[in-house]
Amino acid sequence: MTVASANADFSILVAAVQKAGLVSALQATTPRKTVFAPNNAAFTRLFTTLGVTGVNDLSAEQLAAVLKYHVLPTEVGSAAAVTAATANAKVDALGGKIQLSLVAGKIKLDGISEVTTPDIAASNGVIHAISEVILPSLLDVASTDARFSSLTAAIVALNDQAIVTQLDDNAATTKWTVFAP
C-alpha cells in the first residue's frame, strides 16, 4: 500500500482498498503478492459503466470482490507473466481466475486490460499497473463465495463446456443474470 499511496495515479485504488477493509491484507509481508493495479482513469471508466459517481457509491463487499480479483497470492514478475500469457494461461487470483494473454507484445488480462507499467517493486511483492478495472466473471463469483457452493457444484455436474464458457467469459458481449439458489 505504501507504493500505491505514494503515486497520485492510484488514489482511487487506495480509497477503494481502504473502504473494502483490505489494507492490512495487502500490507502483509507474507505471502508475497502480485497486484494488478488499475489507475484512476480505469476506475473512472468503471464508475461511468456502472452508473455511479465513485467509490462511495459502492459497498465494501462490492469493492472487496473487485479488488481481490486483481491480487495474486504469489509474486509474479513480468517475465513469468509473459510466459503465462504466451500460453493463454489462467492464473489464480484471490477472487477467481484471470486469463492472461499476449497481444502485440503486451500482457492482457481477461482480454480487456493491458499491463501499462510492469514490475513496480514493493516490499511485499510486485505491482503491475493496468489500463482497465477487470471484473470477475459469474463463475468466478460463484466459485469463490461459499454461499454458492451448491450452484458451483451443479454447474460442474452439468459437464457442459458451453455453459461454463458463457459463465466464465469476462469479455463476452452477451451479459447474463443468474438467479443463484
Side-chain angles (χ1 to χ4, degrees):
M1 283 300 298
T2 304
V3 173
S5 295
N7 186 330
D9 203 27
F10 293 133
S11 63
I12 297 174
L13 172 64
V14 170
V17 168
Q18 290 169 339
K19 183 169 181 180
L22 296 175
V23 172
S24 61
L26 290 177
Q27 286 180 333
T29 56
T30 58
R32 295 183 65 80
K33 295 165 240 7
T34 301
V35 175
F36 291 106
N39 59 28
N40 288 347
F43 272 104
T44 300
R45 284 188 293 278
L46 174 67
F47 297 151
T48 299
T49 299
L50 296 177
V52 300
T53 59
V55 169
N56 291 333
D57 292 338
L58 300 171
S59 71
E61 294 78 19
Q62 290 169 319
L63 290 168
V66 170
L67 294 171
K68 286 178 181 179
Y69 192 62
H70 290 77
V71 179
L72 307 183
T74 58
E75 184 173 357
V76 178
S78 62
V82 165
T83 300
T86 301
N88 285 326
K90 285 198 170 210
V91 294
D92 291 324
L94 297 179
K97 291 185 178 284
I98 302 171
Q99 177 78 47
L100 296 182
S101 58
L102 203 59
V103 178
K106 297 281 190 172
I107 301 168
K108 297 280 273 192
L109 290 77
D110 289 341
I112 298 167
S113 189
E114 182 177 291
V115 173
T116 57
T117 307
D119 296 326
I120 301 167
S123 63
N124 60 347
V126 65
I127 299 168
H128 302 298
I130 60 174
S131 62
E132 300 296 329
V133 177
I134 53 175
L135 299 175
S137 70
L138 290 170
L139 193 56
D140 288 323
V141 172
S143 65
T144 58
D145 189 324
R147 296 174 299 173
F148 304 122
S149 60
S150 295
L151 174 63
T152 303
I155 291 168
V156 170
L158 282 174
N159 198 25
D160 185 330
Q161 190 57 43
I163 290 174
V164 170
T165 298
Q166 289 175 346
L167 295 176
D168 199 30
D169 187 357
N170 291 1
T173 54
T174 302
K175 301 300 179 192
W176 300 91
T177 299
V178 175
F179 295 98

